[in-house]
Amino acid sequence: MSLKKQFVKTKPVCKVTFSVDAKEANSAAVVGDFNNWNAEEGTLSKLKNGTFKATYDLVKDAIYEFKYVVDGHYINEPEADSHKWNDFAGSENSVLVV
C-alpha cells in the first residue's frame, strides 16, 4: 500500500494516488471524507501486477480520514500521515494531510 502526493501549483488541489497491493482481491476502493465514504466513487483499477490504483484531486490545506475497502474488508494505510480513532467505526482510520 502507498500514498503519493503531487501538489498542483496552478490550482488549489493535490493529486493523491492511492495504491493497494492485493493480487488475490477482486475489488478495491478508497473511501473517506473526500467522497462521503462511498466505495463506488472511490473505485481503484486493478493493474496487471495485481496492484489496485487510482489518482484523485483533493482540495489542499485539508485533513481527510480514509480507509481502503478490499473485497469488503476495511484496511488502513500503514504509510498514512497518521491514524485517528473513530467512535462511529469503533476502529482507527488513516489520516491524510494535504
Side-chain angles (χ1 to χ4, degrees):
M1 289 184 256
S2 70
L3 284 173
K4 180 181 172 191
K5 301 176 195 175
Q6 181 181 357
F7 291 92
V8 180
K9 292 180 182 178
T10 59
K11 297 179 183 177
V13 299
C14 177
K15 292 184 176 293
V16 180
T17 301
F18 298 91
S19 300
V20 178
D21 185 21
K23 291 175 179 57
E24 305 301 319
N26 293 313
S27 67
V30 61
V31 296
D33 296 334
F34 49 85
N35 65 6
N36 294 316
W37 298 88
N38 184 334
E40 290 180 14
E41 291 182 21
T43 301
L44 302 177
S45 299
K46 190 169 188 178
L47 305 178
K48 290 181 181 179
N49 67 1
T51 300
F52 287 84
K53 191 175 191 178
T55 301
Y56 295 97
D57 289 351
L58 302 183
V59 176
K60 286 197 298 191
D61 300 322
I63 298 172
Y64 302 98
E65 290 186 35
F66 74 98
K67 282 187 179 268
Y68 295 112
V69 183
V70 179
D71 284 348
H73 300 281
Y74 288 90
I75 301 170
N76 276 322
E77 169 61 69
E79 295 180 20
D81 295 320
S82 65
H83 294 88
K84 181 179 177 184
W85 181 260
N86 181 294
D87 285 333
F88 180 76
S91 66
E92 285 188 334
N93 287 336
S94 299
V95 175
L96 173 65
V97 179
V98 292

